[in-house]
Amino acid sequence: MKVITRKAELRSWVQKDGGARVLVPTMGALHAGHLSLLDRAREKAGPNGSVIASIFVNPVQFGPHEDYDSYPRPLEADLAACEARGCDLVFVPDAREMYAGDASVLIRESNLSTGLCGSSRPGHFDGVCTVVAKLFNLAQPHAAVFGEKDYQQLAVIRRMVRDLDFPVEIIGGPTVREKDGLAMSSRNAYLNEKERAAAPVIHRALRFGRDRILRSGKSGGLSPAQVLAGMVLMIEQEPLARIDYLKMVHPQTLQPLEDFGEEGFRIIAAVFFGKTRLIDNLGAESA
Ligand code: AMP
């Protein structure tokens, strides 16, 4: 497995590489969720293609009071995990390598990224789009794999690829969870013991909401607002949880749903436990 820290070196590797390339962008602190994306990438690339992982904690997608400095960076363990998973190349630039000191171009998606995490984290998706576009330009992948755990991010990236004509197939991978339902996240490491014990309430509430919708059927008379109200009560019973947002949205447009219709739904949540903000989501059939 090759480890590359320089953009120029990645470019020349890509120029010599004749096969299909599948990229998995990450911020490191890899867990089983990331590894499942690497497996999906391997499957997609086939035996003759290449799997490229990137590990880069992207400063541009963090707000000024967020956890950029404290974000975990266990690089050796991450590289070992990539190697064990059969990655061909890991790209690990630092921020100065990625961005010119006077970089002045950002990519902004201006529809899907405005609500949900976009409201709570202004500028976050500009940072995500910009870094993903740069990674696509550098690695020139044929496909890239992103987790459904970050559902809004996946939708925003699909839109960017469509609207800017990136020749990259975007593949979504299902959310990988701990045994108690908590979605795996590098940020789970910030939780103290009590917060960790409380955090599965997000998934319990999501399941509760989804099951009510699916049981009630379309004519069951439940509105999105009623389902959400029940979920809020459930989360509020957990004293350590503080809801940032909890929404029922259209699975593609991410617009709030007034009624349940043919096109399905996605329930999306961000909940604080102490200072740690965790996100999760569930659709009719998702993990
Ligand atoms: P991150 O390192 O948090 O930027 O995540 C890198 C990629 O891994 C993103 O596409 C995430 O959506 C995905 N990811 C993070 N957590 C999970 C999870 N629990 N299951 C599946 N994919 C995940």
Side-chain angles (χ1 to χ4, degrees):
M1 184 182 81
K2 205 157 170 59
V3 179
I4 287 181
T5 58
R6 298 287 175 157
K7 294 197 279 195
E9 217 188 316
L10 176 58
R11 275 190 197 286
S12 62
W13 188 90
V14 165
Q15 263 162 22
K16 288 184 213 123
D17 177 55
R21 280 180 299 282
V22 184
L23 175 69
V24 181
T26 82
M27 299 202 299
L30 303 183
H31 50 64
H34 296 112
L35 302 184
S36 73
L37 304 186
L38 293 175
D39 290 347
R40 182 71 189 84
R42 180 81 269 162
E43 195 180 291
K44 178 73 183 169
N48 302 321
S50 323
V51 173
I52 302 181
S54 62
I55 298 177
F56 178 58
V57 185
N58 172 32
V60 185
Q61 71 189 67
F62 285 77
H65 304 295
E66 293 184 351
D67 54 342
Y68 175 70
D69 289 327
S70 56
Y71 200 85
R73 291 165 168 86
L75 184 58
E76 266 185 45
D78 285 349
L79 293 177
C82 289
E83 176 124 53
R85 233 58 189 196
C87 277
D88 298 282
L89 188 155
V90 186
F91 180 49
V92 198
D94 65 17
R96 271 181 312 179
E97 176 70 9
M98 264 319 249
Y99 294 104
D102 59 352
S104 54
V105 175
L106 279 175
I107 296 184
R108 168 163 300 169
E109 193 289 325
S110 59
N111 180 319
L112 302 171
S113 58
T114 54
L116 307 169
C117 286
S119 312
S120 306
R121 306 183 67 188
H124 169 67
F125 288 112
D126 299 354
V128 170
C129 285
T130 303
V131 80
V132 170
K134 285 164 72 70
L135 291 168
F136 285 178
N137 284 333
L138 292 163
Q140 297 181 27
H142 300 82
V145 190
F146 293 85
E148 283 185 359
K149 148 84 167 36
D150 298 87
Y151 190 81
Q152 186 178 17
Q153 169 172 282
L154 178 58
V156 168
I157 301 281
R158 285 192 199 281
R159 179 63 62 90
M160 175 181 83
V161 161
R162 187 197 73 178
D163 287 357
L164 297 185
D165 303 301
F166 280 100
V168 183
E169 179 189 347
I170 303 300
I171 298 170
T175 302
V176 177
R177 301 179 176 281
E178 303 284 357
K179 281 203 182 75
D180 58 13
L182 178 65
M184 289 197 179
S185 164
S186 309
R187 291 193 167 98
N188 292 350
Y190 299 152
L191 301 171
N192 67 30
E193 213 173 305
K194 285 186 175 152
E195 291 163 347
R196 174 63 189 80
V201 74
I202 309 175
H203 182 241
R204 279 203 306 280
L206 289 170
R207 285 241 317 254
F208 172 68
R210 171 172 76 181
D211 292 349
R212 278 187 84 191
I213 299 165
L214 297 181
R215 266 203 316 270
S216 74
K218 279 186 205 91
S219 56
L222 272 181
S223 69
Q226 283 168 321
V227 174
L228 290 173
M231 295 175 64
V232 168
L233 282 180
M234 189 165 184
I235 296 174
E236 284 179 344
Q237 273 169 21
E238 175 46 68
L240 294 179
R242 183 167 62 78
I243 296 174
D244 178 24
Y245 66 75
L246 176 66
K247 305 265 180 186
M248 186 79 62
V249 299
H250 184 287
Q252 273 85 47
T253 68
L254 307 187
Q255 288 302 306
L257 278 189
E258 303 291 335
D259 300 294
F260 292 113
E262 293 296 323
E263 290 173 314
F265 61 88
R266 201 86 188 182
I267 320 175
I268 307 206
V271 180
F272 279 100
F273 295 84
K275 287 185 183 145
T276 305
R277 182 176 171 281
L278 301 180
I279 60 172
D280 202 349
N281 68 88
L282 221 51
E285 283 160 12
S286 71

